Amino acid sequence: MPGEVQRGLEDVVALESKICFIDGREGRLIYRGYDIRDLAANASFEEVAYLLWYGRLPNATQLAELRGRLEGLRAVPEELLQEIATLPAGADPMDVLRTAVSALAVYEPERSGPGPNAIDGAQHLTAVLPTILGVYHRRRAHLPDLEPRRGLSQAAYLLYALLDREPNELETRAVDVALMLHADHDLNASTFAARVTASTLSDLYSAVTSAVGALKGPLHGGANERVMELLEQIGTVDRVEEVVHGKLARRERIMGFGHRVYKVEDPRATILRTWSRKVGEAKGNLRYYELLQRIAEVVHREKGLYPNLDFYSGSVYALLGVPTDLFTPVFATSRVVGWTAHVLEEYEDLRLIRPVSRYVGPTGLSVVPVSERP
Ligand code: ACO
């Protein structure tokens, strides 16, 4: 007989993993033994990707090889580019991303399944997601077609693909840090979705398609876009109290606050807050930062809740000129590393993930002929 139901699988230990550890009471996030604060200060997104996939930090040669490999895998098959071009210009970018990831499997079957080529699939997906977003966004924004550009890190290439200009050092580093912070987070909803799919021995592209679908929801990756909408709705610092009180009185959730695992401030939010200020200062625009700080004060005072990662990330992207509806897809371009690292781990020690439910519906019913049913 099934045991007690844990709604939302809260606190359920579903599997063993060597990838990521979250200490929700102390507010610590560890990737493969390294504190996220150390990584964010002293590493790059590519180093973190290597760490998550291979379990150790790369030496200089390994890092250069990985950078070269990612650069070499950025092109999207011509047929898929045409498919993306047929999608409506007003489509939700997360729908575009999910559709494109799913379609990629058709063009890359040899990199798809469990086995030694799975790591190639992981790197391929990581390399192409910025290109897919860039191609889609440039078309709808009437920007020139995306031309290949050598020598750009993943962060710089992502900004180049979306903004049609090469970012400066501070902009690149801000996004590099944001990508590192988003790369993995244990069994969050989208990673769990990826692992469930992989646990059926399905391929990597299917697993990442499941994950993109899960990330889209406003309780998960979609929250960063909602935070930006909240900032626009509030407008000025003097309106924060009134709007936040109104929302809490209506029992609405304030997006960007609370977390299933962290009981103190999300360490990623602490780091991104600094970057939100730094980028605001560099752009001569501290409006978002000041609004965010005031909202954080009021929500903490009223509800005891702390901001999560999604609270500050949007302000950084917005100041760089990234449109709001691309915030969650940008999140995906980083989390794809975590999803695929978890899928590779799942393939190594595979056990079909198949929980049970407690049945609480009716029993003992008999089928009445359709003509006699009310
Ligand atoms: N605003 C207002 N109240 C909140 C919020 C919030 N953002 N988050 C939690 N609460 C309240 C709940 O109303 C509840 O109060 P109650 O007991 O009086 O009803 C209490 O805190 C506990 O909330 P739960 O929903 O049980 O907490 P859970 O662990 O399920 O929620 C979640 C985690 C979904 C992230 C929640 O905090 C939330 O909805 N936050 C807003 C969305 C968001 O920012 N998501 C991004 C998460 S980080 C990420 O995915 C990258």
Side-chain angles (χ1 to χ4, degrees), residues 134-135 137-139 141-147 160-161 163-164:
V135 166
H137 172 62
R138 279 161 173 262
R139 196 172 58 89
H142 308 293
L143 293 171
D145 284 349
L146 180 59
E147 295 296 335
Y160 159 71
L163 304 180
D164 193 38

Side-chain angles (χ1 to χ4, degrees), residues 170-206:
L170 180 108
E171 291 174 322
T172 304
R173 184 61 187 155
V175 170
D176 195 39
V177 170
L179 293 181
M180 283 190 265
L181 300 179
H182 285 82
D184 195 44
H185 212 229
D186 187 37
L187 286 190
N188 58 90
S190 56
T191 303
F192 191 57
R195 283 194 84 133
V196 169
T197 302
S199 84
T200 69
L201 268 181
S202 185
D203 64 276
L204 204 84
Y205 293 82
S206 299

Side-chain angles (χ1 to χ4, degrees), residues 10 182 185 188 215 217-224 227 248 251-261 263 266 268 299 303 305 308-311 331 335:
E10 187 163 355
H182 285 82
H185 212 229
N188 58 90
L215 186 71
L219 294 188
H220 190 7
N224 55 12
V227 172
L248 293 178
R251 301 191 64 80
E252 284 175 30
R253 291 199 169 213
I254 316 286
M255 291 294 148
F257 285 89
H259 200 277
R260 177 61 65 80
V261 185
K263 304 302 169 210
D266 178 340
R268 304 166 302 171
V299 173
K303 289 288 287 186
L305 290 167
N308 57 48
L309 162 85
D310 277 339
F311 189 60
F331 186 161
R335 185 57 60 85

Side-chain angles (χ1 to χ4, degrees), residues 73-93:
L73 288 168
R74 281 179 186 153
V76 173
E78 190 50 43
E79 299 90 327
L80 181 54
L81 288 181
Q82 284 168 17
E83 270 188 60
I84 296 173
T86 64
L87 297 171
D92 183 320

Side-chain angles (χ1 to χ4, degrees), residues 92-102 129 188-194 197 205-222 328-329 332 335 339:
D92 183 320
M94 282 301 274
D95 290 337
V96 174
L97 201 65
R98 195 191 54 245
T99 305
V101 168
S102 173
L129 291 197
N188 58 90
S190 56
T191 303
F192 191 57
T197 302
Y205 293 82
S206 299
V208 171
T209 306
S210 305
V212 175
L215 186 71
K216 183 183 172 193
L219 294 188
H220 190 7
T328 316
R335 185 57 60 85
W339 294 332

Side-chain angles (χ1 to χ4, degrees), residues 263-304:
K263 304 302 169 210
V264 293
E265 185 171 81
D266 178 340
R268 304 166 302 171
T270 317
I271 298 168
L272 271 184
R273 177 166 50 234
T274 312
W275 279 96
S276 174
R277 198 194 64 238
K278 265 192 218 174
V279 176
E281 281 166 357
K283 300 277 173 194
N285 178 1
L286 284 168
R287 189 173 83 90
Y288 292 142
Y289 179 75
E290 285 163 3
L291 273 172
L292 289 165
Q293 288 302 87
R294 186 76 191 117
I295 298 169
E297 274 168 30
V298 175
V299 173
H300 188 257
R301 190 190 68 214
E302 296 298 319
K303 289 288 287 186

